[in-house]
Amino acid sequence: MFAKAFRVKSNTAIKGSDRRKLRADVTAVFPTLGTDQVSELVPGKEELNIVKLYAHRGDAVAVYVSGGNPILFELEKNLYPTVYTLWSYPDLLPTFTTWPLVLEKLVGGADLMLPGLVVPPAGLPQVQKGDLCAIALVGNRAPVAIGVATMSTAEMLASGLKGKGFSVLHTYQDHLWRSGDKSSPPSIAPLALDPPDLSEEKGSVQADATLQGDMRHLALEGEEEEDEEVQQMCGEKSQSEATEDPSVGGLNPDPTDSKTLQEQMDELLQRCFLHALKCRVKKADLPLLTSTLLGSHMFSCCPEGRQLDIKKSSYKKLSKFLQHMQQEQIIQVKELSKGVESIVAVDWKHPRITSFVIPEPSPTSQTIQEGSREQPYHPPDIKSLYCVPASMTLLFQESGHKKGSVLQGSEVRTIVINYAKKNDLVDADNKNLVKLDPILCDCILEKNEQHAVVKLPWDSLLSRCLEKLQPAYQVTFPGQEPIVKKGKIGPIDITLAQRASNKKVTVVRNLEAYGLDPCSVAAILQQRCQASTTITPAPGAKDSLQVQIQGNQVHHIGRLLLASVLQMRKLRFSTLCCGIQLLNVQLGSELCDSVRLHSRGSFYQS
């Protein structure tokens, strides 16, 4: 269903009454979930959105999104979990197993054929036609697809495992999965076989002992009349499995595989916390905002290739984790201002901190860090220039310039002064005045001034001349040739916009003009602001991108760009009733009005 891109119709936040109704629906559809698990899946206070979309075949689908990941989707009034939800609750649905090579076909939109199933020693799970099922890969219980059974287990066995077994609705790596954080399936070890389960399996439905005894034979050889590609993949895999040690069973012997995703995230969270306290947080930094500890210290301590996500841990929230650390007397947390918690004390002599071993950085991360130190961001050198228009070619042609020539302000001044002296236009009685000849009159005077103005002061003459010239600018990036463009260089624009359901987002545009990569800036802002970021094409600007940050982050981003990224120097604030506008900002040799803060509504005032 989501093998191809879908079209989003709306994205709105869910109201409290709708949350309660959704919890009731989840409890009814998935009775195996406990009350606490339903509350975790459908949070009460955290952000929860409903995204209405149209699949590529025209099906209307409602997707429930929590924490940036789709957790449930509703199709024709039926509720289905996504792979993100099944990774947290792998036993939510009856699970069937297939070969890893089959996954590529499922992602492409194919249904799962029965010859592609791998039959475990305990037999197939007992399902009825139309039941919702999960599909996992050999050696890992984490589901990679969700589908509806086209026949019951008894009918599957009676058919000799031939025909279509499941209509696949959603898979790992499809477009619905891509709308989330694109995380990979966790490693979940298959369940051990218990004798009670085996006896229960033997006495279920209409699967007699003969069929149960021949299931492996059917899975390997009942493929001759079905989809050839799936048959070939299953056959090749079965041959390779026959040569492997049966005691291994395709499992990774790594002991971390036996841990659940939640346990692994708890371990990673504590590791990053201890690493940050031991190496990055100093006594002079206290009191330290808890959000700063997470965004500026703990995230940077996360090992390469792993992603720290508190919502996937058992704590769910940073405040609960820090409260647990406070109970262990590692830190002391206080609410210095209403709703804002800070770390006020750290026991650096605590055994957990002193015994923590700092992991050695990998060679690749060392190379990246060394490269980042050797090549820090250097702001471009921007100069204001002037272009000669057709109406002023007579004034500049004596100095060898023609239409379209680009000049600096000092060059324009020299050319005008030399022209006035060469043509004896300096007033003999007052050296501060310049007599206007027909060429100067045509170039700098308005029509109603042609006969009224005879002389002009030097400063007025030069300023009028610069105003008549077309603006241009030159940008020089370090190690590159200068780039000259006509017009005025646009500022970095930080705008507060309003989306559906009164949600506010901050939009940053025109970063490329100053040599800033929007993707890199988005990654930095995501950590510093502790908010989700997206990159979209800038409307009305060709080949330009804009960064969108969730919430009102105008002042935070402005200060970050000025202090950390752009390394700007002279700064003057002017307070306005609707916000703050930055004026007279210089970058490199010359840059004015390079950052403009503008809001379509009232926000912080200084």
Side-chain angles (χ1 to χ4, degrees), residues 26 65 97 165 193 259 346 363 390 395 454 475 530:
V26 171
V65 181
T97 307
L193 297 179
K259 298 182 179 179
V346 178
L395 178 60
V454 180
V475 182
Q530 284 297 288

Side-chain angles (χ1 to χ4, degrees), residues 7 33 85 95 118 141 213 272 293 307 310 331 427 490 537 587:
R7 179 170 60 89
L33 287 179
T85 297
T95 303
V118 177
R141 202 157 51 94
C272 295
L293 172 68
Q307 184 176 6
I310 296 180
I331 59 173
D427 188 33
L587 168 64

Side-chain angles (χ1 to χ4, degrees), residues 87-91 141 186-189 255-268 306 312-314:
W87 292 342
S88 299
Y89 309 99
D91 299 323
R141 202 157 51 94
S187 181
I188 305 176
T256 58
D257 288 347
S258 61
K259 298 182 179 179
T260 64
L261 175 64
Q262 193 175 77
E263 292 173 343
Q264 294 178 25
M265 191 57 65
D266 287 349
E267 183 180 335
L268 178 62
R306 300 192 66 181
K312 293 183 180 179
S313 69
S314 61

Side-chain angles (χ1 to χ4, degrees), residues 201-245:
E201 182 72 28
K202 290 179 181 178
S204 61
V205 199
Q206 302 175 1
D208 58 11
T210 304
L211 290 176
Q212 291 285 353
D214 293 339
M215 283 189 293
R216 281 191 172 275
H217 176 73
L218 293 174
L220 298 177
E221 294 184 332
E223 308 172 357
E224 299 177 357
E225 300 179 2
E226 301 299 331
D227 184 6
E228 296 181 358
E229 293 183 353
V230 176
Q231 297 167 14
Q232 183 178 2
M233 287 186 286
C234 296
E236 292 176 355
K237 188 65 180 179
S238 62
Q239 293 175 6
S240 64
E241 285 290 322
T243 61
E244 292 182 358
D245 186 358

